[in-house]
Amino acid sequence: MNINLTLIGQLLSFAVFVWFTMKFVWTPIMGALDTRRKEIADGLAAAEHGQHEQELAKERAKEAIHEAKGQAAEIINQAQKRASEIVDESKGNARSESERILAAAQAEIEQETNRAREQLRQQVAELAVLGASKILRKEINAAAHKDIVEQLAQQI
Amino acid sequence: MAGDTLTSSEYIKHHLTNLTYGQHADGSWGLAHSAAEAKEMGFWAIHVDTMFWSILLGGLFIYFGKKVADRVSSGVPGGLQNFAEWLVEFIDNSVRGSFSGRNPLVAPLALTIFIWIFLQNLMDLVPVDVIPHLAGAIGIHFMKVVPSTDPNATFGMAIGVFMLTLYYSIKIKGVGGFMGELTLQPFSSDNAIVKLLFIPINFVLEFVSLIAKPISLALRLFGNMYAGEMIFILIAIMYNAGVVLGLFGGVLQLGWAIFHILIITLQAFIFMTLTIVYLDMAHNDH
């Protein structure tokens, strides 16, 4: 148990160990601990932020779905309306077309009838004149009685 | 175990002698062959065993410390890093608890003190004869394996701490402030002459309390470890006294070793805490 040079040796090695620990052991480990502490804090903050974002997104999605549903219903409504309009329109078109065709046919029929009647009248007049002239060959001068024959033909 | 040729007192004395390297009485340098020879070497001799074990243990500590520090990451810590982080946080909390100033030296200093003293004390749990016998087998006659049972080691650290407290006292408070702390309290007076009269009284009181700090720091650790070591040696003597006493000694040694785990940790912790407190006092004005 002598106090001797060992004292100074121990003092020096103590100083070296403390210096080494401070420089190469404590500082890096403490740095890592601080970094981790910060990372955890950041992570927690990010998680909280994410949760908040998710809630907002949910809200937004709900809104979007609601809006989309409304739009879809509106589009279906419009389509149905348009379809019935088209049906009505085509019905109307068909009706007017048929009427038009009918009218044209009737007009043609009338025209034909009139023409036939005119022809008939002409032929009857000629036949009458021919008959009359055959009957009255001698007594009647075709030229002299032309106006009477004409009158007759007119009356038919 | 004590050899047949050794008496109990010789055995104890043998165990308590350091492996000393120094100048012999005849002027040549070499290892001392007996306790008396070691004593004759005076101050200019060195305890090779104390130096070897303490530097080995300190080296182990900084080796593993550096290994962890090199691989340290802020990610998920692995086994060794986990342990190191637990230690570092424990020391950091202790320092935060008792040290109010800001000084980047204090926490690593506390860590070094705690681990180094703990490892030195831990050597106490190695059965007292194992390492000296191994050393004897390779021709080394004296081997004291617990550096903290050597007052040189404990005083070495305590003086280191004392120098730091002096340095920071003077750095923070200035020479005047430090001298004032030594001479102007605990007794003070408004009267200048009375104040002057109080100076020597105050100085004696304060100087004693100042010097008492490193001495008590070193002697507390030394005393506890020396006493613990002594008890281990005494228990070891029982192994020579027949089967019954030997078995009893084995039980005693186990019990004392388990109890000693508490003491070695506690002493390391006390040394560390007092170091922090002394440095805190050095940083604070009264």
Side-chain angles (χ1 to χ4, degrees):
Chain A
M1 275 197 289
N2 313 310
I3 293 289
N4 56 23
L5 210 53
T6 314
L7 180 73
I8 290 162
Q10 289 285 318
L11 184 56
L12 288 179
S13 43
F14 178 53
V16 170
F17 286 141
V18 170
W19 169 79
F20 191 93
T21 306
M22 182 171 147
K23 192 119 178 139
F24 299 110
V25 179
W26 183 270
T27 314
I29 293 179
M30 213 54 206
L33 287 181
D34 284 343
T35 312
R36 185 179 312 141
R37 201 168 292 136
K38 203 178 158 300
E39 273 172 10
I40 289 173
D42 288 354
L44 286 177
E48 207 164 299
H49 186 71
Q51 236 163 16
H52 189 67
E53 285 285 288
Q54 197 193 10
E55 248 160 56
L56 281 183
K58 255 187 201 163
E59 202 80 0
R60 271 201 297 267
K62 218 185 250 174
E63 252 167 53
I65 287 171
H66 192 71
E67 206 170 300
K69 266 185 188 159
Q71 274 179 347
E74 201 176 310
I75 287 170
I76 289 172
N77 259 354
Q78 276 180 349
Q80 276 172 343
K81 215 155 99 189
R82 182 86 192 103
S84 63
E85 266 175 21
I86 288 171
V87 170
D88 284 353
E89 208 176 284
S90 52
K91 263 187 195 161
N93 280 351
R95 193 172 293 134
S96 61
E97 184 77 357
S98 67
E99 274 166 8
R100 195 176 61 75
I101 290 170
L102 198 64
Q106 273 174 346
E108 208 172 327
I109 289 169
E110 208 163 307
Q111 215 173 3
E112 287 292 312
T113 314
N114 280 347
R115 207 169 45 216
R117 197 180 282 156
E118 197 68 22
Q119 245 172 2
L120 205 61
R121 193 186 286 148
Q122 211 85 36
Q123 282 175 348
V124 167
E126 276 171 25
L127 273 176
V129 172
L130 200 63
S133 69
K134 267 182 182 169
I135 301 163
L136 305 170
R137 183 148 307 179
K138 282 170 188 155
E139 293 158 55
I140 297 162
N141 191 342
H145 296 100
K146 197 183 180 198
D147 55 332
I148 300 164
V149 173
E150 290 265 305
Q151 233 172 359
L152 218 84
Q154 207 77 43
Q155 278 170 354
I156 294 170
Chain B
M1 261 153 272
D4 294 331
T5 54
L6 284 175
T7 64
S8 291
S9 80
E10 275 170 342
Y11 173 75
I12 294 170
K13 206 165 182 185
H14 178 259
H15 262 291
L16 294 180
T17 305
N18 284 102
L19 180 67
T20 313
Y21 181 87
Q23 198 174 21
H24 290 296
D26 59 8
S28 65
W29 289 80
L31 294 168
H33 298 293
S34 68
E37 218 172 278
K39 205 171 180 66
E40 274 170 20
M41 286 174 172
F43 185 76
W44 297 107
I46 194 153
H47 291 158
V48 181
D49 46 3
T50 302
M51 291 305 292
F52 173 77
W53 288 108
S54 62
I55 290 174
L56 179 77
L57 293 167
L60 266 177
F61 160 56
I62 59 170
Y63 168 72
F64 281 109
K66 181 91 172 77
K67 207 168 132 181
V68 171
D70 282 347
R71 291 210 218 128
V72 76
S73 74
S74 56
V76 180
L80 192 59
Q81 188 186 335
N82 219 340
F83 177 69
E85 283 180 6
W86 170 74
L87 254 177
V88 162
E89 286 200 315
F90 162 66
I91 304 288
D92 195 46
N93 282 336
S94 299
V95 172
R96 271 174 217 278
S98 354
F99 188 76
S100 51
R102 288 183 60 83
N103 189 336
L105 176 75
V106 176
L109 175 76
L111 177 69
T112 313
I113 286 176
F114 182 71
I115 300 294
W116 202 27
I117 293 178
F118 178 77
L119 289 175
Q120 289 182 10
N121 293 352
L122 196 64
M123 297 304 291
D124 220 358
L125 296 182
V126 179
V128 283
D129 279 314
V130 171
I131 294 172
H133 261 263
L134 289 177
I138 56 167
I140 297 166
H141 299 293
F142 298 105
M143 181 55 71
K144 229 176 130 187
V145 295
V146 190
S148 49
T149 57
D150 183 346
N152 289 297
T154 61
F155 270 105
M157 273 181 285
I159 288 172
V161 171
F162 183 58
M163 279 158 60
L164 282 174
T165 56
L166 285 185
Y167 171 72
Y168 283 115
S169 289
I170 290 170
K171 192 185 166 193
I172 306 276
K173 298 162 191 162
V175 179
F178 182 56
M179 291 316 288
E181 210 167 71
L182 277 181
T183 52
L184 300 179
Q185 54 160 2
F187 301 113
S188 64
S189 169
D190 292 333
N191 189 324
I193 296 160
V194 180
K195 208 173 180 178
L196 210 66
L197 280 173
F198 275 146
I199 283 178
I201 303 167
N202 284 337
F203 182 74
V204 167
L205 287 172
E206 283 295 312
F207 189 73
V208 167
S209 85
L210 183 74
I211 292 300
K213 283 176 194 170
I215 292 176
S216 67
L217 202 57
L219 287 183
R220 180 181 303 108
L221 178 61
F222 164 71
N224 273 283
M225 288 303 110
Y226 189 81
E229 175 85 338
M230 187 67 104
I231 288 173
F232 276 123
I233 294 170
L234 292 175
I235 290 170
I237 290 174
M238 293 173 79
Y239 294 147
N240 252 21
V243 179
V244 177
L245 263 182
L247 279 176
F248 180 60
V251 174
L252 274 183
Q253 178 171 352
L254 183 69
W256 181 240
I258 291 169
F259 179 60
H260 216 58
I261 295 173
L262 176 71
I263 295 183
I264 61 176
T265 318
L266 192 66
Q267 285 305 319
F269 182 71
I270 289 173
F271 201 109
M272 178 194 88
T273 307
L274 285 177
T275 301
I276 299 170
V277 169
Y278 290 159
L279 280 171
D280 183 48
M281 284 161 74
H283 281 71
N284 283 337
D285 288 308
H286 285 286

